[in-house]
Amino acid sequence: MNNFAKKIRPYVQCELENYRLCIVKNNTDKAFFHLENAHILGQESTYWHLIIHVYMARWAIRQWDLKELSGQLLRIVGAATLTIFGLNPIGNTGGANVSPFRSMPLSPEHKSIISRAKSNI
């Protein structure tokens, strides 16, 4: 795991824990929102990018959402093979409802967290 992946880890894990809590409460829309946040934060790390898309695929299976699942299967391949080359659009939320090539604006909070994780790398 590289330095960025280590520094962003607590923030991604917090979002994944919030995802788990929402699943327990059967709040599936809010659960996916937390996966999107985790994706935005971790997508510059091949490790986290791949893990988050696996979580998104599992979410799609639980929802019987074949469109989301097929989108996530393609994104898993992309995360595993392209992230290391920096070929991921910044700010992208990672769901199948968004083009995997579309950059999106970062919220001030996400921008600040990512900036801190990149500092002194």
Side-chain angles (χ1 to χ4, degrees), residues 2 4 39-46 49 83 88 90 114 118:
N2 69 23
F4 174 77
H39 182 270
I40 291 166
L41 294 169
Q43 70 179 336
E44 292 185 61
S45 157
T46 300
H49 199 185
T83 305
N88 50 302
I90 301 305
I114 292 167
K118 287 181 173 180

Short mmCIF file of all heavy atoms in Angstrom, two decimals, residues 2 4 39-46 49 83 88 90 114 118:
data_model
loop_
_atom_site.label_atom_id
_atom_site.label_comp_id
_atom_site.label_asym_id
_atom_site.label_seq_id
_atom_site.Cartn_x
_atom_site.Cartn_y
_atom_site.Cartn_z
N ASN A 2 0.63 2.17 -0.94
CA ASN A 2 1.47 3.36 -1.02
C ASN A 2 1.08 4.38 0.05
O ASN A 2 0.13 4.20 0.79
CB ASN A 2 1.43 3.96 -2.43
CG ASN A 2 0.07 4.56 -2.79
OD1 ASN A 2 -0.71 4.92 -1.93
ND2 ASN A 2 -0.19 4.67 -4.07
N PHE A 4 -0.19 7.47 -0.12
CA PHE A 4 -1.51 8.07 -0.24
C PHE A 4 -2.58 7.11 0.28
O PHE A 4 -3.48 7.51 1.03
CB PHE A 4 -1.83 8.46 -1.70
CG PHE A 4 -3.24 8.94 -1.88
CD1 PHE A 4 -3.61 10.21 -1.48
CD2 PHE A 4 -4.21 8.11 -2.43
CE1 PHE A 4 -4.92 10.65 -1.62
CE2 PHE A 4 -5.52 8.54 -2.58
CZ PHE A 4 -5.88 9.82 -2.18
N HIS A 39 -15.54 6.26 -2.66
CA HIS A 39 -14.95 6.22 -4.01
C HIS A 39 -14.24 7.53 -4.33
O HIS A 39 -13.11 7.53 -4.81
CB HIS A 39 -16.04 5.93 -5.05
CG HIS A 39 -15.51 5.83 -6.43
ND1 HIS A 39 -15.42 6.92 -7.26
CD2 HIS A 39 -15.02 4.77 -7.12
CE1 HIS A 39 -14.89 6.52 -8.42
NE2 HIS A 39 -14.64 5.22 -8.35
N ILE A 40 -14.91 8.63 -4.06
CA ILE A 40 -14.31 9.94 -4.34
C ILE A 40 -12.98 10.07 -3.59
O ILE A 40 -11.98 10.53 -4.16
CB ILE A 40 -15.27 11.08 -3.94
CG1 ILE A 40 -16.48 11.10 -4.89
CG2 ILE A 40 -14.56 12.43 -3.94
CD1 ILE A 40 -17.64 11.95 -4.38
N LEU A 41 -12.97 9.67 -2.34
CA LEU A 41 -11.76 9.81 -1.52
C LEU A 41 -10.66 8.84 -1.92
O LEU A 41 -9.48 9.20 -1.94
CB LEU A 41 -12.11 9.60 -0.04
CG LEU A 41 -13.02 10.66 0.57
CD1 LEU A 41 -13.50 10.22 1.93
CD2 LEU A 41 -12.32 12.01 0.62
N GLY A 42 -11.00 7.62 -2.25
CA GLY A 42 -9.99 6.58 -2.44
C GLY A 42 -9.62 6.24 -3.87
O GLY A 42 -8.74 5.42 -4.09
N GLN A 43 -10.26 6.89 -4.84
CA GLN A 43 -10.06 6.45 -6.23
C GLN A 43 -8.66 6.67 -6.79
O GLN A 43 -8.32 6.08 -7.82
CB GLN A 43 -11.10 7.08 -7.14
CG GLN A 43 -10.93 8.56 -7.36
CD GLN A 43 -11.99 9.10 -8.29
OE1 GLN A 43 -12.56 8.38 -9.09
NE2 GLN A 43 -12.25 10.38 -8.19
N GLU A 44 -7.84 7.44 -6.15
CA GLU A 44 -6.47 7.62 -6.65
C GLU A 44 -5.53 6.53 -6.12
O GLU A 44 -4.36 6.50 -6.50
CB GLU A 44 -5.95 9.01 -6.30
CG GLU A 44 -6.70 10.10 -7.07
CD GLU A 44 -6.12 11.47 -6.85
OE1 GLU A 44 -4.93 11.67 -7.18
OE2 GLU A 44 -6.86 12.34 -6.34
N SER A 45 -6.04 5.66 -5.30
CA SER A 45 -5.30 4.50 -4.81
C SER A 45 -5.87 3.26 -5.49
O SER A 45 -7.07 2.99 -5.38
CB SER A 45 -5.47 4.38 -3.29
OG SER A 45 -5.25 3.05 -2.86
N THR A 46 -5.03 2.52 -6.18
CA THR A 46 -5.51 1.30 -6.84
C THR A 46 -6.17 0.38 -5.81
O THR A 46 -7.23 -0.19 -6.06
CB THR A 46 -4.36 0.57 -7.56
OG1 THR A 46 -3.80 1.45 -8.53
CG2 THR A 46 -4.84 -0.70 -8.24
N HIS A 49 -9.54 1.96 -4.65
CA HIS A 49 -10.43 2.06 -5.80
C HIS A 49 -11.05 0.69 -6.10
O HIS A 49 -12.26 0.57 -6.30
CB HIS A 49 -9.64 2.59 -7.00
CG HIS A 49 -10.49 3.15 -8.09
ND1 HIS A 49 -9.95 3.57 -9.27
CD2 HIS A 49 -11.83 3.36 -8.20
CE1 HIS A 49 -10.91 4.02 -10.05
NE2 HIS A 49 -12.07 3.90 -9.41
N THR A 83 -5.99 2.61 -12.75
CA THR A 83 -5.75 3.58 -11.68
C THR A 83 -4.27 3.85 -11.49
O THR A 83 -3.87 5.00 -11.27
CB THR A 83 -6.37 3.08 -10.35
OG1 THR A 83 -7.75 2.80 -10.58
CG2 THR A 83 -6.23 4.11 -9.26
N ASN A 88 -8.11 7.93 -13.96
CA ASN A 88 -9.41 7.96 -13.31
C ASN A 88 -9.82 9.41 -13.15
O ASN A 88 -9.02 10.25 -12.75
CB ASN A 88 -9.37 7.24 -11.95
CG ASN A 88 -8.22 7.70 -11.10
OD1 ASN A 88 -7.08 7.61 -11.51
ND2 ASN A 88 -8.51 8.20 -9.92
N ILE A 90 -11.16 12.61 -11.55
CA ILE A 90 -11.26 13.11 -10.18
C ILE A 90 -12.71 13.49 -9.88
O ILE A 90 -13.41 14.05 -10.70
CB ILE A 90 -10.32 14.33 -10.00
CG1 ILE A 90 -8.88 13.94 -10.30
CG2 ILE A 90 -10.45 14.93 -8.60
CD1 ILE A 90 -8.36 12.77 -9.51
N ILE A 114 -8.41 15.01 0.62
CA ILE A 114 -7.50 14.47 -0.41
C ILE A 114 -6.18 15.25 -0.40
O ILE A 114 -5.10 14.66 -0.50
CB ILE A 114 -8.17 14.45 -1.79
CG1 ILE A 114 -9.31 13.44 -1.81
CG2 ILE A 114 -7.15 14.15 -2.89
CD1 ILE A 114 -10.24 13.54 -3.00
N LYS A 118 -2.42 13.77 0.35
CA LYS A 118 -1.36 13.88 -0.65
C LYS A 118 -0.15 14.65 -0.12
O LYS A 118 0.92 14.59 -0.72
CB LYS A 118 -1.87 14.56 -1.92
CG LYS A 118 -2.77 13.70 -2.74
CD LYS A 118 -3.19 14.43 -3.98
CE LYS A 118 -3.97 13.56 -4.92
NZ LYS A 118 -4.36 14.31 -6.13
#
